[in-house]
Structures are given as C-alpha cells and as structure tokens.
Amino acid sequence: MGIFDMLQKGLPDWHLLLNKNFNAAQAKFDGLDTQMSNKAEKSRTVLDAKRDYQNYTTVLEMVNSVSNDSSVIAFGDQFSALFNAEDRPPRQREYFYFILSDGIRKDVVAFDYGAQYIFMRRIYNKAWISEWVQVATCSCEDMEWKDLPLSSDFINWDETTGNRLQYRKSYDAVYVQGVIKPADPENVAEIMRKQITTLPAGCRPQKGIWYQVCALSAGGYYWRCRILPNGAVSFDGCTTDALSAARNSIEVNLMIPI
C-alpha cells in the first residue's frame, strides 16, 4: 500500500506501513547541510536518518537541506528544535515529516504522531507556496468521541468533556467512558436494574454481555453492567455497601466487542 493510499484510507498504523514501504529504500544524503553535527551516512536507510534533521529551527530550512532528488523522513519530537518551529503545522505536536523532492519542487507530508492528523504543504524554489492543509485523519467520524444520551434515572457527574458519558467506535469494538450518578441520589436503590443509556445502531454487541466493572465514588467498590444486543446499557446491580457509594459517582470504562 502506497503513501497516497494511506492518506485516502486514513489508517491508524501509518507509521508501521511507512516502515514496511521505506525501510528498504536507501537515502541519498549528499545534499545535507555540512554544518549539521550529526550528518547522515549514505549507507543508512530513510528511516534510520529520521532524527538527523531535527536540529533545524524551521521546517522550511530542514526541507531545503534535502537534496533535490531525495525522499526523506524526519522526526520532530518534543525535545527537538523542529517541535517549536514557527512554520510547523497548526497543532503543536510531534510530527513525522515525509519530504518528496523533485528538483525545485518539494511536497511535505506531516504525520501527527499523537493525534493522528495528516497535513500537507508545498515548496517551490526553496519557498513555501501554500499553507498547511489537513488532508486526512487516521480515524473516521465514527471514531471521534460522542456524547451518549442518558435515561431519566441518571445524569452526568459534571458536564466537562472529560467526564461526560461518551462513546467511540473502533474497528471491532466500542469504547464507553465517563462518570455518571443517580438523578435522585436520595433514592439510590431505585437505580438497580435501570437502563443507563442506549448504544446507537452499529455500536452494539452481537450478544448480551455482563461486566463487573469500574469504581463507585472513586473507591474500591464495583458494580455490574449489562449490555444487550439492542444497545441497552444497564446498572445491573452491586452489593449493599457499594450502593451507598454509587450515590456520589459511577465510573464507566467499557470496551464492548461488536
């Protein structure tokens, strides 16, 4: 699978595919800046030299150091000068920069190492001729975190993004995370066997599942969660002492096969 296939499909393991596609290719480093203290050896592979370019203070300077007939991978990790380059992609992240060079024309593809965004920018005659454009992510819309609607028996512990009950779809599983609590804490016993939420179509298990999961009130108490093929997620019970802890908070952290 080629680099542009990866951009189109948005695969999360793009770095593994880069290793497969380019580890056998020999880099041509005759155009490297002689002022670099860690100049690459010509016998090394493209991926071997990915850190040899990270001491440049701008992406443009780094790209222009690549000879006109070379393709190079550079890694701007958080300890390198490239991490703070003023002409980096809009997100301040660690990037793998893949430089495609054809004479005075160079295309730069930046792979966000942590958040799985992919950006592109173009150079002509040693100058930027475009802005960074986000061309893909390594996840589709389904794989973004989305809020789950709660039944009338439960509410979110608070409304911050990190604590609301949310789900995210992966290739063969759905992840559900958040912190909730009973809508009526004084009648906490009423939540027994009550439905918490419903997973949307396409995010439901093929058969019923029970989990002994999570903590209650951030302590050492556990509760049983039941998920049905129709998507119903329910509070299926806990011990009496744990029920009093559930009055304060119910932590949810599930991975559900689909």
Side-chain angles (χ1 to χ4, degrees):
M1 178 179 292
I3 181 74
F4 295 107
D5 292 323
M6 287 189 287
L7 290 177
Q8 183 179 15
K9 292 181 178 298
L11 295 178
D13 295 330
W14 57 264
H15 48 87
L16 300 178
L17 294 172
L18 282 178
N19 275 280
K20 179 180 179 181
N21 285 353
F22 297 107
N23 202 39
Q26 294 298 312
K28 300 177 182 179
F29 298 110
D30 45 61
L32 275 174
D33 192 332
T34 57
Q35 295 180 0
M36 292 179 62
S37 60
N38 56 347
K39 185 176 180 181
E41 299 175 7
K42 293 184 179 181
S43 62
R44 300 166 70 200
T45 68
V46 172
L47 284 175
D48 286 336
K50 63 182 177 292
R51 295 185 184 275
D52 291 338
Y53 295 86
Q54 63 182 211
N55 292 327
Y56 287 103
T57 57
T58 68
V59 178
L60 181 64
E61 182 185 17
M62 180 268 293
V63 174
N64 285 334
S65 73
V66 178
S67 59
N68 289 341
D69 59 347
S70 293
S71 295
V72 166
I73 293 174
F75 184 37
D77 65 34
Q78 62 179 321
F79 304 108
S80 71
L82 277 179
F83 183 77
N84 295 309
E86 60 181 12
D87 58 348
R88 58 168 170 73
R91 299 170 182 268
Q92 188 176 27
R93 308 283 296 185
E94 295 181 314
Y95 290 98
F96 278 99
Y97 293 97
F98 181 48
I99 298 102
L100 299 164
S101 179
D102 179 20
I104 60 176
R105 298 177 297 180
K106 291 183 171 74
D107 283 330
V108 186
V109 184
F111 296 88
D112 185 332
Y113 181 73
Q116 301 180 339
Y117 291 93
I118 303 172
F119 298 89
M120 291 187 71
R121 197 174 183 184
R122 180 161 293 173
I123 290 174
Y124 182 80
N125 199 20
K126 297 188 176 183
W128 292 117
I129 61 170
S130 69
E131 298 298 324
W132 288 107
V133 176
Q134 183 180 325
V135 294
T137 66
C138 296
S139 61
C140 62
E141 182 180 353
D142 283 343
M143 295 177 71
E144 301 296 332
W145 286 101
K146 296 182 179 69
D147 290 345
L148 275 169
L150 295 171
S151 71
S152 60
D153 294 297
F154 296 89
I155 60 174
N156 286 306
W157 186 71
D158 65 32
E159 291 302 321
T160 63
T161 301
N163 287 323
R164 292 198 308 272
L165 189 66
Q166 296 183 315
Y167 75 98
R168 182 176 74 85
K169 184 179 181 181
S170 184
Y171 297 104
D172 57 358
V174 169
Y175 299 88
V176 178
Q177 292 183 353
V179 184
I180 60 176
K181 61 184 179 181
D184 184 4
E186 299 306 316
N187 294 305
V188 65
E190 297 298 320
I191 67 173
M192 285 289 195
R193 310 291 191 272
K194 290 295 180 68
Q195 184 171 331
I196 299 171
T197 187
T198 301
L199 295 171
C203 299
R204 300 169 179 175
Q206 297 182 19
K207 59 182 180 179
I209 303 173
W210 284 263
Y211 290 100
Q212 185 84 359
V213 294
C214 312
L216 296 171
S217 193
Y221 300 104
Y222 294 85
W223 61 283
R224 293 187 303 276
C225 180
R226 185 182 186 188
I227 303 120
L228 298 178
N230 65 2
V233 180
S234 301
F235 190 99
D236 202 50
C238 64
T239 59
T240 303
D241 57 345
L243 191 60
S244 61
R247 178 181 292 109
N248 298 316
S249 67
I250 302 168
E251 288 78 19
V252 183
N253 190 354
L254 304 171
M255 185 181 74
I256 304 164
I258 56 176

